[in-house]
Each structure stands twice: as structure tokens, then as C-alpha cells.
Amino acid sequence: MIHKLALRNLLRNKRRSLLTSLIIVFAFSMMILFMGLSDGGHKAMIDIGVRMGLGHVIVQHPEYRDDPALSHLLDNPEQLKQQLIDTDKRLTPVARLRSDALIQAGRHGVALTISGVEPEIEAQVSAIADKKAIVQGQTLAAFANSTDLHRLSGIVIGETLAKNLEVRIGDTITLTVKPASGGDLARSAFEVAGIFKTGLHELDTFWAEVPIQDLQALLEVPNQVSQIALYTSAGSDNVAQLATALTAQFPTLDILPWQTAAPELYSAVTLDAAGMYLLMLIVYVVVAVGILNTVLMSTFRRQKEFSMMIALGARASTVSKVVLLEAIYLSAFSLTIGLALGLWGHHHFATQGLDFKEVFGTAMEAGGVLLPEKFYSTLEANKLSLSVLFVFVLTILVTLIPAIRAGHRSPVAASQES
Amino acid sequence: MIKLNQINKIFSDKHQSFHCLKDLNLEVKQGEFTVIAGPSGSGKSTLLNIIGLLDKPSSGSYEFDGQNVAKLNNNQLADIRREKIGFVFQAYNLMPVLTALENTEMIMEFCNVDKKVRRQRAMETLEAVGLGEFKNRFPAQLSGGQQQRVAVARAIAAQPLLVVADEPTANLDSHSTESLLDLMQSLNQELGVTFLFSSHDPRVIDRAHRVVHLQDGQIVKDVCTNNNDQQVAV
Ligand SMILES: Nc1ncnc2c1ncn2[C@@H]1O[C@H](COP(=O)(O)OP(=O)(O)O)[C@@H](O)[C@H]1O
Ligand SMILES: [Mg+2]
């Protein structure tokens, strides 16, 4: 009976119920869609940032962060790498050596930070100069392994840098650095092995990689590296805990999660997440106001009816239940449709992906990191069910007072004339 | 069944108070067909509200069906109303979203009467008030007289001890008034349900077995015309 009363009363004013329902459906499905795209976008941004020469966790000499001098390097990288793997089998460590350098070809010269990398491992974890990014020539790893006889070690450089230096594959480049001994400048020649394109201006114009041994020899720092970057197969979610755990194990080292190592990326992601929470708040308010408005309008005109029910012997709780049920049916119906629509949209973007260029015209950079061309909607079941539950509880909360008031109408009013 | 003793009802707000019922004594027995008669404003509705447990007196004692109801809380009063009293109001009688049959069933449903029993009894009652063929109509699709018949059906379907009807014919034409009174009278005779209603319409008052005349919150005359035209002056 109370269900019948609740449903029929909703249908009594079809237009009002439908309008409220539509607003909730729209707001809720949009929220799900944005939640999926925003989380998917963040994941993609973090992944790409982490893969663009960063790493989930960076291990450095404690003073390197403030003063990246050659006197603040890590010793015995191989031993340290083994120790790190021993603490967590899911870690892939990769050593890197960085130094200011002058890169010259013919009459052109560019000052930049040269990276000495372990070509085999670097190609697995980093996306700067991997197979996909190389547009001409080959990767450092492939170059070193090739059966051709090379006089020189290889160097890979960005597309714009190659254009600025006017070099092509096979050309020779000279690298000049100031060695650790502090003596005369040291100089060495490299053969352009590959040219990469990331789409990131900073990388394509000012990034070059050579094998780490060559750079160690040139800088006179054998067996020393600037950093060991750690990549974890566990993904980017629990990086902070990982960094804390490692810090406890290696108290003499500076161990940073990517959030600290790349604060620009982190703030871009968190700022965006704040926007998401704001959107969720707006959706909650829309749902609450929509339901409250409908309930208030429908109970206001039915006070006489409630009095009559009570006069006839309905208990206060029975009358309150009718009002609550109306809101619950309306909310459940709208949420179900909103959820279905939102999940349908999510499914589309989770399988087809969203093309950034389609949406924004050109590729856009965020936090110094190129957003991927396409990214895929991801939804956390927890977060989603929590927000469904929250909206539902919200429905009941906003309806509670009008419902209780309806149950406490005076039965005397039933006998009075209008 | 009903024993009112020294009942007073005073309505008061911040500015004024109004003494509506004054030291009123009344006894109503099982099976009566009694009208409370009196001009508008004499306190008929107020009295019926107190008798129907919709309102509480300011002072005095009220015994309903052998029970002193003064100390009962709202839910307990609702329970008694549901189980023992049927109501017919002047207007706004039926739930607009329920059909005639569903309206008739409503109180029984509040009483948790078994669904089959409920359906059958509602149907029988609706047929008894002559509206069997209108069972699936909504109140808006019925005339005023038909709506009041459904209200009577609803009031008696749950088999109450007492039916309280406050000016049930006030909004009806004379033909509907006559047939509603016929209906109430036959239900009173056949089922023994006590009917207590109010009116200021002489044609309605003439049909009652007992007429309680109310004026300015006091009973001025109590006339029994039931069997032997005995008169009791108060
Ligand atoms: N809730 C109330 N507050 C104040 N005065 C009231 C209230 N209800 C009724 N009255 C007054 O009590 C008197 C009797 O009312 P009522 O019982 O409705 O008379 P009747 O039904 O005989 O017309 C009227 O003068 C009315 O104004
Ligand atoms: Mg009245």
C-alpha cells in the first residue's frame, strides 16, 4: 500500500518527477563520465611523466638535489641496484648520469644537459628514445648491438636538436664537458645513431642520450652515477609508501617519489583532481536540491491527505514512509538510469579512448609532460559505488525532515473544511 | 460505549481564548443512530473530534469502549481509531491516487488484514453501498455523492464499533443526501454499527433516532425518537 501510494504520487505529477529525474540522470551520468576520464587522464599523465626520463622513485646522493655537482654522485651503482632489488622484487632500477655539456656539429653548438644511460634497460622503462619514439635511425641499444662496425659510440638526439645542428643519421657530433678532476675540458666524438620525437618541446630540442660508460669515462667518474631511477610493476598508486619504505632501509640516501621529483606534474594532477571533487560536490548539491524541491512541493499540497491518513489510524511512521519511499523511488530510478548512461559512456571511452587532439585541437602539455594522444577512461569500483551510496544516503537525509513532518500532521485538520 | 464527563474545550492562542465546549456530559450506547444538531459554530465538529479521538479535551474525562483515553499517546490513539472507529468527513475524504476499491481497503491494510480477506470484504462493502461497478474509478471520476458512499464503505469495511461522520451530507444534493442516509441507516440496522453524525439540516436531523441539540458548546436538548418517542430534556 505505501509503495502504491508512493509510486502513484510520483506519477501524479509526471512532469515534475520526470524533470527532477532528468536533472539527476544528467548530473550523475556526467559525473561518472568525468570521473572515468579524469582518473584515466591522470593515470596516463603520470605514466607518461614517469616514463619520460623520470621514474616512480628516484634515488640520489643526499646533496645532489640542492647541488647537482659531480662531487655528489652515487658510488657503486651495481651494488646499490642489487640491494634495491633485494628489498622489492618488483623494482626495475636504472642508472643515469647527467652533466652540463656543449654539443657541437660543424659550426653549430648547443648547451644542454647530456644523459648517460644504460641503453638496454632504459629502452624498457623510458619512452624518450625507445623504438616508438625513434623516427630516424635506431635506438642506442640497437646501435650498440648492430653487427656493423662503428668507429664511434652512438648518440640519440631530439628531432628539433638535429635540425638545429643540421645533422643526419651517421653524422659526427662532438660533446664537450668539464670533468670531475676540474682540469681541462674533455671532448669526445659520437655518431648520430637515432633521432627521436616525443612531441615535447623541451625534450625534442634539448635532450641527448649516450651510453653511460662513455660519459663516465669522459667525466672521469668511473663507477659513479647521478641517480638510480626505480620503476615498479605495482604501478603508480602506492609510490609514496614505497619511497618511505626505501628511505627507512637506506637512510643515507635521498629517496624521492615522483610527486617530489616532479612537483609540476604532481600539482597539475592534483589541481585537476580538485576540479573533479568540485564537480562531484556540484552533482551532490544538484541531486539534493532536486529531490528536496520535489518532496517539498509534493508534500506541501498534500498536508490534508496526511492528516486524513493519520485520522483514519495510520501511524506517523506509515505516513513518513510514504514520503521517504517517494524520494527513494525517484532517486533509485534516476540513479539507475544515470549509472547505466554513465557506464555506457565510460565503456566507450575505456575501449575507444579519447583523442586529445580531437577534443582540444592540438596536443597540450600539462605539468611539463605531454599528455598522451589518446587516453582511456578508468573507473574505480570503490569510488563509484561509494558515490552511488552517498547520493542515496543524501536522498534519504534531505527527505527525512519533510517526511517526519508529514507524519506529525494533526488529525484534526482532516475534519476541517478547506 | 461513549461516556463524556464534564468535558471542556478551550481554544486559546496568544491574544484570546475561546471556550468552545462547556461542562459537557454525554453518553452514547452501542447501536445508536444519533445526530448532533446545532447551528454553525455551536461546537459540533469539536465534539465529534474529541469523540473520534482526533482531538483532546482541555478538561473532563472520556471513556471510550470502557477505556479512559486521557493518558494515551498519539500512536495509541491512532491504533484505537484504526481498529474501532470509522470516519466520514465533510470533504477531502478519499485518497486521490487510489481507486474506490483501494480506498475501501486502505484501513484494513493499515490493520494488516490478510490480502484475500481484505479484497473480498472491500468488494462486498462497495457493492453494499451500490458502487460495485465503480470499483476501479478514481475519486476524481466519481460524483460527490458517490465519493461519500466510498467514504462510508471505507469507514465500515474494517468493521468498527463506531462511525463518526461530521456533516457528511453538507456537500451533497438532496437526492444524494437521502440515499446516503438510507445507506447509513440500513448499515446501522443490519450490522449494528453505531453511527454518530452531525448536521444542521432539518431533513437529516429528522432521520436520526436520537437528536442531541448543541448550542454555544452546551447540550440544550437530547431527544430520543427511536421507539416510543420518549423525550429527555437535559
Ligand atoms: N482550532 C481552533 N482554534 C480556535 N477556535 C476554534 C478552533 N476550532 C474551532 N474553533 C471555534 O470553535 C467554535 C466551534 O467550532 P466547530 O466545532 O467547528 O463548530 P461547528 O462544527 O458546530 O460549526 C467556532 O466558533 C470556531 O471558531
Ligand atoms: Mg463543523
Side-chain angles (χ1 to χ4, degrees):
Chain A
M1 167 72 94
I2 54 176
H3 295 267
K4 206 188 293 175
L5 279 173
L7 284 172
R8 296 230 181 120
N9 272 311
L10 280 177
L11 294 176
R12 192 159 159 192
N13 198 328
K14 284 199 195 77
R15 197 170 342 143
R16 184 177 62 207
S17 299
L18 200 68
L19 194 69
T20 310
S21 186
L22 275 180
I23 291 170
I24 297 174
V25 165
F26 178 77
F28 198 65
S29 56
M30 278 299 152
M31 187 186 84
I32 292 174
L33 212 59
F34 279 124
M35 200 154 96
L37 286 177
S38 149
D39 283 0
H42 290 162
K43 226 175 135 97
M45 258 165 85
I46 293 165
D47 281 353
I48 208 88
V50 162
R51 306 237 308 138
M52 285 291 174
L54 192 59
H56 290 119
V57 173
I58 310 290
V59 180
Q60 291 169 340
H61 185 279
E63 279 162 68
Y64 186 85
R65 214 184 332 168
D66 294 328
D67 179 16
L70 290 176
S71 53
H72 298 146
L73 297 182
L74 295 171
D75 295 321
N76 271 329
E78 286 311 314
Q79 191 194 331
L80 183 54
K81 275 161 77 174
Q82 194 52 52
Q83 285 170 347
L84 287 163
I85 293 174
D86 287 344
T87 64
D88 190 339
K89 289 279 173 296
R90 291 171 301 181
L91 295 177
T92 304
V94 53
R96 291 173 188 145
L97 180 59
R98 300 232 161 107
S99 163
D100 294 334
L102 181 67
I103 192 167
Q104 286 170 292
R107 54 198 174 80
H108 301 288
V110 174
L112 48 64
T113 300
I114 183 80
S115 281
V117 300
E118 304 176 282
E120 296 285 351
I121 315 172
E122 191 73 28
Q124 292 166 29
V125 295
S126 165
I128 299 179
D130 66 357
K131 258 206 197 107
K132 253 169 72 186
I134 295 285
V135 289
Q136 286 173 48
Q138 49 196 336
T139 62
L140 275 185
F143 183 80
N145 291 338
S146 72
T147 47
D148 304 347
L149 260 165
H150 300 292
R151 284 179 303 118
L152 301 169
S153 287
I155 184 169
V156 289
I157 59 175
E159 193 181 41
T160 320
L161 183 58
K163 205 177 286 167
N164 292 347
L165 293 173
E166 291 184 43
V167 292
R168 273 176 273 175
I169 300 297
D171 286 356
T172 302
I173 277 178
T174 312
L175 202 63
T176 307
V177 297
K178 199 171 184 328
S181 61
D184 294 335
L185 295 177
R187 188 165 289 148
S188 179
F190 291 86
E191 180 181 335
V192 177
I195 293 172
F196 62 80
K197 184 184 177 184
T198 61
L200 253 180
H201 175 76
E202 195 69 19
L203 290 176
D204 290 344
T205 316
F206 297 107
W207 195 262
E209 289 181 0
V210 295
I212 194 165
Q213 302 90 329
D214 294 271
L215 193 59
Q216 281 170 336
L218 198 59
L219 289 167
E220 299 167 17
V221 289
N223 213 22
Q224 283 192 310
V225 299
S226 310
Q227 61 167 230
I228 290 175
L230 296 172
Y231 290 83
T232 172
S233 56
S236 50
D237 286 343
N238 300 316
V239 171
Q241 286 104 299
L242 177 64
T244 318
L246 288 174
T247 305
Q249 298 251 354
F250 304 93
T252 58
L253 297 174
D254 188 17
I255 298 178
L256 317 168
W258 67 265
Q259 288 92 329
T260 317
E264 325 80 47
L265 175 63
Y266 183 59
S267 62
V269 171
T270 42
L271 205 71
D272 224 35
M276 186 61 221
Y277 285 120
L278 189 70
L279 182 75
M280 283 168 83
L281 189 75
I282 292 171
V283 169
Y284 293 147
V285 170
V286 165
V287 172
V289 169
I291 295 277
L292 185 64
N293 179 54
T294 311
V295 168
L296 284 181
M297 297 231 290
S298 87
T299 50
F300 181 73
R301 290 149 126 262
R302 281 156 57 208
Q303 295 181 359
K304 200 101 190 180
E305 244 172 86
F306 299 139
S307 290
M308 200 239 296
M309 286 176 74
I310 293 165
L312 294 179
R315 284 188 161 217
S317 58
T318 308
V319 177
S320 298
K321 269 186 223 155
V322 172
V323 176
L324 268 179
L325 275 175
E326 277 173 48
I328 287 172
Y329 275 122
L330 185 62
S331 157
F333 172 78
S334 313
L335 286 184
T336 308
I337 298 206
L339 191 67
L341 271 179
L343 286 179
W344 177 69
H346 159 72
H347 177 75
H348 174 80
F349 289 120
T351 49
Q352 308 293 312
L354 181 68
D355 199 326
F356 244 101
K357 286 191 184 122
E358 249 172 47
V359 181
F360 298 104
T362 53
M364 55 177 236
E365 289 181 31
V369 170
L370 183 81
L371 284 171
E373 268 178 30
K374 261 192 171 183
F375 65 94
Y376 298 86
S377 177
T378 53
L379 272 181
E380 285 170 45
N382 275 349
K383 213 162 148 184
L384 185 63
S385 38
L386 212 69
S387 59
V388 173
L389 192 75
F390 184 75
V391 172
F392 208 65
V393 170
L394 198 67
T395 302
I396 294 173
L397 280 182
V398 296
T399 317
L400 216 51
I401 291 174
I404 289 172
R405 277 178 37 191
H408 285 272
R409 295 280 310 161
S410 153
V412 180
S415 73
Q416 283 158 359
E417 282 184 75
S418 59
Chain B
M1 188 176 61
I2 293 168
K3 261 190 203 146
L4 296 175
N5 193 13
Q6 295 293 311
I7 291 289
N8 281 281
K9 181 72 184 179
I10 300 164
F11 294 110
S12 53
D13 57 28
K14 276 181 222 135
H15 312 291
Q16 57 192 30
S17 70
F18 178 74
H19 202 152
C20 180
L21 298 179
K22 296 159 192 162
D23 291 331
L24 196 141
N25 297 302
L26 181 68
E27 224 175 289
V28 177
K29 294 203 175 64
Q30 182 86 45
E32 284 191 19
F33 193 70
T34 297
V35 66
I36 312 284
S40 184
S42 56
K44 303 185 295 294
S45 296
T46 307
L47 178 59
L48 285 183
N49 285 344
I50 289 171
I51 291 173
L53 302 179
L54 301 176
D55 206 354
K56 286 185 170 176
S58 309
S59 69
S61 74
Y62 174 25
E63 211 175 272
F64 175 79
D65 195 26
Q67 188 180 12
N68 189 337
V69 295
K71 294 246 161 64
L72 301 179
N73 68 25
N74 285 344
N75 271 334
Q76 290 168 320
L77 290 173
D79 292 345
I80 296 180
R81 289 199 299 271
R82 186 174 64 237
E83 308 282 344
K84 297 182 177 173
I85 306 176
F87 290 92
V88 179
F89 302 116
Q90 184 179 330
Y92 296 98
N93 240 322
L94 303 172
M95 296 296 280
V97 295
L98 299 180
T99 63
L101 185 64
E102 287 163 346
N103 264 294
T104 310
E105 272 184 284
M106 189 167 79
I107 298 170
M108 288 189 279
E109 209 155 337
F110 290 156
C111 293
N112 290 320
V113 174
D114 175 71
K115 184 165 179 150
K116 253 194 195 151
V117 177
R118 189 170 82 207
R119 252 297 126 90
Q120 200 193 334
R121 216 194 283 167
M123 203 50 235
E124 283 168 10
T125 316
L126 214 49
E127 263 156 18
V129 301
L131 287 175
E133 55 191 306
F134 297 112
K135 62 174 181 176
N136 289 326
R137 292 226 187 155
F138 288 94
Q141 299 166 322
L142 297 170
S143 74
Q146 288 168 330
Q147 287 185 39
Q148 279 308 55
R149 285 168 165 271
V150 176
V152 171
R154 180 184 60 190
I156 60 167
Q159 301 177 337
L161 295 175
L162 168 72
V163 172
V164 173
D166 189 9
E167 309 214 27
T169 61
N171 292 342
L172 301 183
D173 58 42
S174 55
H175 175 72
S176 303
T177 299
E178 282 299 319
S179 72
L180 191 77
L181 284 165
D182 289 342
L183 172 67
M184 298 204 307
Q185 203 157 20
S186 68
L187 289 169
N188 169 253
Q189 272 156 14
E190 284 157 30
L191 304 175
V193 186
T194 314
F195 273 84
L196 190 59
F197 54 102
S198 67
S199 184
H200 56 260
D201 181 346
R203 286 170 304 173
V204 176
I205 296 166
D206 283 348
R207 298 282 300 264
H209 303 159
R210 178 182 170 192
V211 184
V212 177
H213 290 273
L214 205 62
Q215 206 164 354
D216 296 328
Q218 286 174 315
I219 295 175
V220 291
K221 210 158 70 165
D222 193 340
V223 187
C224 250
T225 55
N226 197 1
N227 300 322
N228 39 14
D229 280 20
Q230 98 193 77
Q231 273 208 8
V232 186
V234 181

